[in-house]
Amino acid sequence: MMRCLAGLVICTLLAAWVLSGVRADEPVVRDEAVLARQATMRSAKAALGVLFEMSALRRHFDRDTAREARAVLLAALAEIPARFEKPYMDRHSRSRPGIWENRAEFLRRAIAARQAARGVRTVNLPALRRSLPGMMAACLACHDRFREPR
């Protein structure tokens, strides 16, 4: 009887713990700096997504839309060094501590990504296709070093 009761209590506590968990798409913290960092990275990702979709012919190439996406990408990348000044981690963060432990390398990679974004050409589809791989490589180089995989 005691074993059944103990098992029931454990199962109830486990279920309560699992069901009370925070969803992955909800912000865990209310720290303004962290929320701004997340918003900046989402903005860069969305802009890069538009350019990639055009390059892959998943979206019709539109010069003005491509230019706008490039401008958004450049603005987001310009903010990254400032957004990662505060060394804050939460349980859903994918940032590695190396961002703050090796700040000089992180800044070099952030600058390289911004330079690659400046090199993205949006005049026509062939130019976009030629210039986008350098941008993707710059993002991946930083993420490989400073971001935890899923």
Side-chain angles (χ1 to χ4, degrees), residues 82-141:
R83 296 290 187 224
F84 283 88
E85 280 182 344
K86 186 176 180 183
Y88 186 88
M89 301 288 286
D90 65 50
R91 66 186 176 141
H92 292 289
S93 177
R94 294 179 57 204
S95 299
R96 291 183 176 162
I99 290 174
W100 299 281
E101 294 168 0
N102 194 348
R103 184 119 176 104
E105 181 183 351
F106 175 74
L107 291 176
R108 279 193 301 276
R109 290 181 190 229
I111 291 167
R114 182 142 164 81
Q115 289 172 340
R118 284 186 188 124
V120 171
R121 298 293 167 240
T122 58
V123 293
N124 56 40
L125 182 58
L128 178 62
R129 285 183 159 174
R130 281 191 305 272
S131 60
L132 200 54
M135 181 68 241
M136 299 294 286
C139 291
L140 290 174

Side-chain angles (χ1 to χ4, degrees), residues 37-68:
R37 180 175 83 193
Q38 292 170 344
T40 297
M41 295 306 288
R42 277 193 304 273
S43 177
K45 180 181 178 182
L48 195 54
V50 168
L51 296 170
F52 179 76
E53 287 175 0
M54 285 182 187
S55 176
L57 299 177
R58 292 184 192 144
R59 175 187 282 220
H60 174 73
F61 177 82
D62 177 75
R63 190 175 181 178
D64 292 335
T65 303
R67 283 183 180 168
E68 182 180 315

